[in-house]
Amino acid sequence: MSKVILVTGGARSGKSNFAEQLCINRNNETAYIATSVPFDDELKDRVKKHKESRPQNWNTYEIYKDIYSIIEEISKKHKTVILDCVTLLVNNLMFTHEIDIDKDKANQDQINNVEMYIKDQVTKLIEEIKKTDLYFVVVTNELGMAVVPDNKLSRVYTDIVGRINQCIASQSDEVYFVVSGIPMKIKG
């Protein structure tokens, strides 16, 4: 029977380190699903630091679209999985659609369709995880505690991430909120 753990917190809160430690404490058969697409030097440096911080024997899968399609394969090779992170997953899936949210040209139906597509991706992922015996740790950012952004693109993104986080949390066995490197269990 699978176990889904959601780890959330603010930027640089220590959530990835905590998620990695959860998996290290379980076993050495961890798969790391990286949803980042490093497109500039800053992000490339962050990805490099993430790679250096985790055990070298972990297998990394770089994917953000149709992740559900590799879960069965992963479950044959691994007992634990980290998906890091949902916020980049949402970002990347948003920009695979041909709508112009940034310049306020997208109407609400188009935005709703993008959100439904992302929710469908996440729902299929959770369904596939539930068919396995994986210990599956999902990392995400808690964006809803900041000032409401002044531009439409950021507001739409924050709204979608918030609702996707709620969807995952509702299906998770445990949820942790990390602040300043200190995890607080808020579910399970």
Side-chain angles (χ1 to χ4, degrees):
M1 182 171 185
S2 67
K3 186 167 188 176
V4 178
I5 297 89
L6 178 65
V7 178
T8 188
R12 305 316 149 256
S13 63
K15 60 194 174 299
S16 291
N17 290 339
F18 174 69
E20 289 172 9
Q21 197 58 53
L22 286 174
C23 291
I24 289 169
N25 292 344
R26 301 274 307 173
N27 62 55
N28 279 329
E29 299 177 34
T30 298
Y32 190 100
I33 299 174
T35 62
S36 176
V37 177
F39 56 86
D40 64 15
D41 288 341
E42 179 184 350
L43 197 50
K44 287 176 185 173
D45 184 61
R46 288 175 62 191
V47 167
K48 180 180 176 235
K49 287 176 182 172
H50 265 277
K51 285 181 179 178
E52 291 170 352
S53 75
R54 60 184 180 252
Q56 296 303 307
N57 63 326
W58 288 9
N59 290 331
T60 300
Y61 298 80
E62 294 180 357
I63 183 172
Y64 68 87
K65 186 176 180 184
D66 301 333
I67 298 171
Y68 59 88
S69 67
I70 65 168
I71 297 304
E72 183 180 353
E73 171 195 333
I74 287 175
S75 72
K76 293 176 183 174
K77 300 174 185 175
H78 303 279
K79 295 180 181 179
T80 60
V81 179
I82 293 180
L83 184 149
D84 196 355
C85 77
V86 170
T87 44
L88 287 172
L89 170 88
V90 169
N91 177 77
N92 296 335
L93 291 173
M94 276 180 67
F95 288 104
T96 61
H97 282 266
E98 300 272 335
I99 64 170
D100 198 347
I101 297 170
D102 195 27
K103 298 202 172 42
D104 289 336
K105 293 179 182 174
N107 64 42
Q108 195 59 48
D109 286 340
Q110 292 170 314
I111 294 168
N112 291 342
N113 287 337
V114 169
E115 184 172 346
M116 285 183 353
Y117 166 70
I118 295 168
K119 187 173 182 182
D120 182 61
Q121 289 274 312
V122 170
T123 300
K124 287 178 179 176
L125 173 61
I126 299 292
E127 288 171 355
E128 287 302 311
I129 294 167
K130 299 275 184 180
K131 295 176 186 176
T132 71
D133 291 327
L134 289 169
Y135 182 85
F136 203 101
V137 181
V138 180
V139 179
T140 192
N141 286 282
E142 184 56 50
L143 302 180
M145 297 173 74
V147 175
V148 176
D150 67 348
N151 66 78
K152 186 172 184 173
L153 174 61
S154 295
R155 287 192 305 274
V156 167
Y157 175 69
T158 299
D159 289 350
I160 292 174
V161 169
R163 286 189 285 268
I164 294 300
N165 285 349
Q166 290 176 50
C167 175
I168 297 169
S170 73
Q171 297 296 311
S172 294
D173 300 291
E174 296 177 7
V175 178
Y176 292 88
F177 183 66
V178 182
V179 178
S180 299
I182 301 169
M184 296 173 287
K185 191 174 193 178
I186 58 175
K187 179 182 178 182

